[in-house]
Amino acid sequence: MTKITAGQAIAKVLIDWDIDHLYGITADSINNTVDGFYQERSRLKYIQVRHEEVGALAAAADAKLTGTIGVSFGSAGPGAVHLLNGLYDAKMDHVPVLAIVGQSATGVMNTNFFQEMNQDPIFADVAAFHKQVVNAEQIPYVVDEAIRSAYATKSVSVVIVPDDLSGQKIEFSGFKTAPIKATVQNSSPKESDLIQVKSALKAAKHPILWVGKGAFKARNEIIAVSEKFSLPVLSTAPATGAIPTDHPNFMGSRGRLGTKPAFEVSQAADLVLFIGTNFPFARYLPDNIKFIQVNNNLADLGKQRDADLTILSDAQLFLQKLLEFDFSIAPTNFLKAAQIDKKNWDAWLNKLADDDQAGLTAEGVMKAIKENSTDDAIFGLDVGNNTEWAIRQLPLNRQQRFTMSGWYGTMGFGLPAGLAGKLSYPDRQVWSISGDGGYAMVMPDLLTEVKYQLPVINVVLENKVFGFIQHEKLVAHQAPYGIDLLGADWAKAAENFGAIGFKVTNLAELTASMQKIKELQANGNRLPIVLDAKIQNVDPIDTSFVPVDRATFGDQMVDNYRQQYRITESEQPAFNEILTSLNNTEI
């Protein structure tokens, strides 16, 4: 049997698991491993990032977008520590990621050598699997085990490899055991549970369907269940697109990243079918709502809210069982009122988008992205106000995909997500959307997009402030201290990096720039683009609490809220007013 280095064996294991690229920065403690990647460079592409954090975040984004494990690596000491931010994002959002970490050669370990440190404890919290290899022969076996563990636990695996061991030659020709990416068996709901759900649906006056990422592959079933039983649909923010965003029954998300109709309709509900999610803000729903939770993870049942009925089941199988029920519900006034509320909301966002008299609005930029994105576009979202604007307006109604840092919520996710999106889907249009705060954290890796000719469209919404934190300070009546940012000409910076830059300050410039971007794409452009959008610093509407119903909240609270966010009663009446009007019409 021909011998190869253990580093090359690592590459062969990765290739067998359908991994075609990985991210990292080489250094003396991982050089032999990287040389192994070089030996398999025709099948495994090494993406040299400018910061290991970006590589780990991109690996997490790969896993979120494709379902295939993402891989990054770093050297001993600083490189290893830099990986942690991206690894925690993967852990919190439950996606498989592998980190290969260098270590000093075995001969100098435990001698206080340069950059030599005990790294396993560093990864003990973030990684479900974390091992340091002790001889060259076991390296491919441990890497294979690590990948299986990452898929099985939907989490992070870390393999620490002393550099001298990965340079040694071993006998290795692959494994007969096939790679299997499946994680758990799909479980079906019990008949006794379905009988209770059927009874609850028949008795409810204001039922809603609330779905999360666990239901993301059940788009057709979500639509059919919603239409069969007259159910308004909410999604968690990360599950936006589980039902087409332009479907009239879709209300959006509840919470700060949400919408007015999602808040109002869920407040008025008397039954919630809570499917495929462990959404933390469900705990803020009124106590008198009947709550039925469906999840395939036993540990998540009842975790966020004490449920009236918990069902251990795969989301898609559960929805399919609902479609077998021998009854349906004609469109109710509750659903019709919800549809009107959502239509009013969308019209209001369009009104904001079309008004640049006081300067360009974020809504205007989002509308332009919506109008110029393809039906299969990929969106990488950063963390901050940009996430609110994007979730509310991006078109996720056909084959579009997006990814975000959902539970961990790390700034700087947008650009790495765009990088990952273009590598994973090279033939699709890819956008990253960031605020100037998040973009500045990772913008040197625009050079990575330039180096590998990845024509991502990177949108920077510059308002010269940490806007998401600004809102929190306003609510807390605190001084706006420590949130102001120094602006920059991000378009010129992009050009200095070898990319293409456009700076826009109004709708006319935005429209012209979007047209030029279209022309570049049509002509086969291979350079990344930065759209530097100078927007107004306007606090976006907070939809975590929407006091617009005078009968419920009183005149003073309603007037203050409406004045703060410029919502007139004629444009956006309260949901209960719409519902009352519909009910009275029938009398």
Side-chain angles (χ1 to χ4, degrees):
M1 181 182 293
T2 303
K3 288 188 173 183
I4 60 174
T5 66
Q8 187 175 357
I10 293 175
K12 287 182 175 294
V13 171
L14 298 181
I15 291 165
D16 284 344
W17 280 95
D18 296 327
I19 296 159
D20 62 6
H21 66 271
L22 76 171
Y23 311 88
I25 299 176
T26 193
D28 54 2
S29 60
I30 201 167
N31 275 337
N32 282 321
T33 298
V34 175
D35 190 66
F37 300 155
Y38 172 77
Q39 301 303 322
E40 298 292 333
R41 63 192 180 279
S42 64
R43 296 189 294 166
L44 181 68
K45 190 171 186 177
Y46 162 40
I47 304 299
Q48 178 203 66
V49 291
R50 292 306 182 98
H51 197 293
E52 293 91 348
E53 174 190 14
V54 170
L57 287 170
D62 273 329
K64 293 175 188 181
L65 287 169
T66 68
T68 297
I69 190 170
V71 184
S72 62
F73 66 85
S75 62
V81 172
H82 285 166
L83 293 171
L84 283 172
N85 205 43
L87 299 186
Y88 268 104
D89 178 75
K91 174 188 176 179
M92 297 290 283
D93 278 354
H94 306 293
V95 293
V97 163
L98 170 67
I100 300 169
V101 178
Q103 177 59 288
S104 302
T106 54
V108 296
M109 288 175 61
N110 301 320
T111 65
N112 298 310
F113 193 69
F114 176 67
Q115 290 187 335
E116 184 260 322
M117 56 192 291
N118 183 11
Q119 296 180 136
D120 188 69
I122 296 173
F123 299 103
D125 180 66
V126 72
F129 179 104
H130 51 99
K131 291 185 179 181
Q132 178 170 299
V133 299
V134 296
N135 61 60
E137 286 74 16
Q138 70 178 214
I139 287 176
Y141 297 91
V142 174
V143 171
D144 185 73
E145 182 187 10
I147 295 172
R148 293 180 190 276
S149 173
Y151 275 118
T153 61
K154 298 181 181 179
S155 189
V156 175
S157 288
V158 173
V159 179
I160 301 171
V161 184
D163 190 51
D164 60 319
L165 299 185
S166 61
Q168 293 177 17
K169 291 194 172 184
I170 61 172
E171 292 184 352
F172 181 73
S173 59
F175 300 114
K176 291 187 290 185
T177 305
I180 301 175
K181 300 176 186 178
T183 53
V184 294
Q185 293 290 328
N186 290 335
S187 53
S188 296
K190 296 185 295 184
E191 189 63 31
S192 58
D193 289 334
L194 291 170
I195 291 172
Q196 292 188 67
V197 174
K198 185 176 182 179
S199 176
L201 272 173
K202 285 184 173 181
K205 301 297 184 184
H206 298 160
I208 66 171
L209 178 61
W210 198 334
V211 298
K213 287 286 285 184
F216 202 80
K217 294 181 180 180
R219 174 182 276 195
N220 291 337
E221 288 84 356
I222 293 169
I223 295 171
V225 166
S226 170
E227 294 176 351
K228 179 172 182 175
F229 300 111
S230 195
L231 299 171
V233 180
L234 277 72
S235 75
T236 61
T240 303
I243 179 173
T245 49
D246 59 356
H247 192 285
N249 291 5
F250 179 58
M251 299 296 108
S253 302
R254 175 171 171 139
R256 193 164 160 195
L257 304 186
T259 69
K260 170 184 177 285
F263 173 84
E264 292 184 296
V265 171
S266 58
Q267 283 292 110
D270 60 2
L271 171 66
V272 175
L273 296 179
F274 194 66
I275 301 177
T277 180
N278 189 32
F279 184 63
F281 305 114
R283 64 188 72 174
Y284 300 128
L285 284 171
D287 293 334
N288 61 345
I289 297 177
K290 188 175 181 67
F291 197 79
I292 297 177
Q293 184 178 8
V294 180
N295 205 295
N296 66 356
N297 184 354
L298 180 63
D300 283 345
L301 292 174
K303 182 178 286 186
Q304 299 295 349
R305 183 183 176 91
D306 195 14
D308 297 276
L309 175 63
T310 55
I311 300 174
L312 184 64
S313 174
D314 172 76
Q316 188 171 30
L317 291 177
F318 173 79
L319 291 167
Q320 288 171 354
K321 289 294 184 182
L322 294 193
L323 291 172
E324 295 175 8
F325 285 174
D326 58 358
F327 76 100
S328 60
I329 300 173
T332 62
N333 283 347
F334 179 69
L335 175 63
K336 293 175 184 176
Q339 292 172 338
I340 293 170
D341 203 23
K342 181 57 161 47
K343 188 175 181 179
N344 291 340
W345 167 261
D346 290 338
W348 181 72
L349 289 178
N350 281 327
K351 178 185 174 183
L352 295 181
D354 294 338
D355 182 4
D356 65 347
Q357 293 184 52
L360 188 62
T361 65
E363 289 84 4
V365 180
M366 291 301 138
K367 184 179 180 183
I369 294 173
K370 179 178 180 178
E371 292 172 346
N372 290 278
S373 59
T374 59
D375 287 350
D376 64 351
I378 305 291
F379 302 100
L381 307 186
D382 216 305
V383 168
N385 280 349
N386 63 91
T387 325
E388 290 186 59
W389 291 312
I391 289 292
R392 289 168 179 167
Q393 290 179 262
L394 287 182
L396 296 164
N397 48 8
R398 290 179 175 80
Q399 289 77 48
Q400 304 97 335
R401 295 290 307 278
F402 87 102
T403 185
M404 62 187 291
S405 180
W407 278 71
Y408 188 51
T410 179
M411 292 176 64
F413 185 81
L415 187 145
L419 173 68
K422 199 62 184 176
L423 286 165
S424 294
Y425 298 99
D427 297 326
R428 294 169 71 167
Q429 185 191 64
V430 177
W431 305 73
S432 78
I433 301 172
S434 309
D436 47 334
Y439 181 72
M441 290 181 172
V442 293
M443 58 92 67
D445 265 280
L446 181 64
L447 288 167
T448 305
E449 294 181 356
V450 172
K451 179 173 182 176
Y452 297 102
Q453 297 187 348
L454 302 173
V456 180
I457 307 166
N458 301 279
V459 179
V460 184
L461 302 171
E462 186 194 77
N463 58 0
K464 299 183 181 179
V465 69
F466 288 124
F468 206 77
I469 308 305
Q470 175 181 253
H471 175 80
E472 294 171 351
K473 288 188 171 291
L474 287 170
V475 171
H477 304 292
Q478 295 178 355
Y481 184 64
I483 61 171
D484 59 305
L485 297 173
L486 183 65
D489 192 327
W490 305 110
K492 282 189 176 179
E495 291 171 357
N496 286 335
F497 276 27
I500 299 169
F502 296 100
K503 181 171 72 172
V504 297
T505 61
N506 55 51
L507 288 174
E509 292 173 354
L510 178 61
T511 300
S513 294
M514 285 294 186
Q515 180 58 38
K516 291 177 182 176
I517 290 171
K518 271 189 172 181
E519 292 169 2
L520 286 166
Q521 291 176 321
N523 292 327
N525 168 60
R526 301 304 304 167
L527 290 175
I529 295 167
V530 172
L531 180 69
D532 180 7
K534 308 298 188 183
I535 61 170
Q536 300 177 50
N537 178 24
V538 176
D539 185 34
I541 184 171
D542 185 348
T543 52
S544 59
F545 180 63
V546 185
V548 296
D549 182 8
R550 294 186 183 278
T552 303
F553 300 108
D555 289 341
Q556 183 175 354
M557 183 178 290
V558 170
D559 288 340
N560 289 341
Y561 185 85
R562 285 190 176 279
Q563 183 177 0
Q564 180 180 359
Y565 295 117
R566 296 176 295 160
I567 325 176
T568 66
E569 299 198 50
S570 60
E571 292 175 323
Q572 292 206 66
F575 169 77
N576 282 334
E577 294 174 10
I578 300 171
L579 180 58
T580 299
S581 177
L582 289 175
N583 289 336
N584 289 339
T585 301
E586 293 187 352
I587 296 175

